[in-house]
């Protein structure tokens, strides 16, 4: 008796299914959004607080100069972060609770 061949499932689709099944997507998406902020803005070292709710990313910075510089680039930053998220294998884009960034608020 030999081993039967079964349809192989990729690790990424298995991981995606597991994340959805266990209800981990909202928390993981939030963490991926914060990582996108750090990667795309370059302001990670100046960031005091991060908060995401209803499509809005709220960022509190410890430097008014950095905040002023980034405020001119808000729309571009949102585009860059969403592009970053679209290529992130751990980001679940069909999650109703935590999805793509629609608005950026700098404090």
């Amino acid at each position: 008796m030999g081993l039967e061949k079964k349809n192989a499932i990729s690790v990424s689709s298995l991981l995606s299914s597991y994340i959805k099944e266990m209800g981990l997507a909202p928390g993981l998406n939030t963490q991926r959004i914060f990582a996108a902020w750090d990667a795309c803005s370059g302001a990670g070292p100046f960031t005091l607080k991060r908060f995401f709710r209803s499509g809005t990313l709220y960022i509190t910075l410890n430097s008014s100069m950095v905040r002023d510089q980034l405020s001119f680039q808000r729309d571009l930053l949102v585009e860059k972060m969403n592009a970053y998220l679209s290529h992130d294998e751990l980001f679940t884009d069909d999650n109703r609770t935590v999805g793509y960034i629609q608005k950026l608020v700098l404090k």
Side-chain angles (χ1 to χ4, degrees):
M1 287 190 190
L3 295 174
E4 294 180 28
K5 284 189 175 183
K6 296 186 178 184
N7 291 337
I9 300 173
S10 70
V11 174
S12 63
S13 69
L14 183 64
L15 183 59
S16 177
S17 297
Y18 178 77
I19 288 170
K20 287 178 185 177
E21 191 71 29
M22 297 304 291
L24 301 173
L28 184 59
N29 275 3
T30 301
Q31 292 306 311
R32 302 314 303 154
I33 287 169
F34 296 160
W37 165 257
D38 290 342
C40 297
S41 71
F46 303 101
T47 304
L48 295 175
K49 295 179 187 175
R50 299 165 173 90
F51 183 72
F52 185 80
R53 176 173 284 160
S54 302
T56 303
L57 176 60
Y58 299 90
I59 299 292
T60 304
L61 299 162
N62 66 2
S63 169
S64 59
M65 288 176 50
V66 173
R67 183 182 65 238
D68 290 344
Q69 288 290 323
L70 293 175
S71 67
F72 293 113
Q73 303 173 12
R74 260 181 239 211
D75 294 336
L76 178 63
L77 281 170
V78 169
E79 285 180 34
K80 285 174 70 175
M81 288 186 287
N82 285 333
Y84 180 92
L85 293 170
S86 70
H87 292 88
D88 188 335
E89 293 180 8
L90 294 177
F91 186 78
T92 309
D93 60 355
D94 62 350
N95 187 282
R96 292 183 197 180
T97 311
V98 180
Y100 286 106
I101 302 164
Q102 298 169 6
K103 184 178 176 184
L104 175 62
V105 176
L106 301 173
K107 298 179 181 182

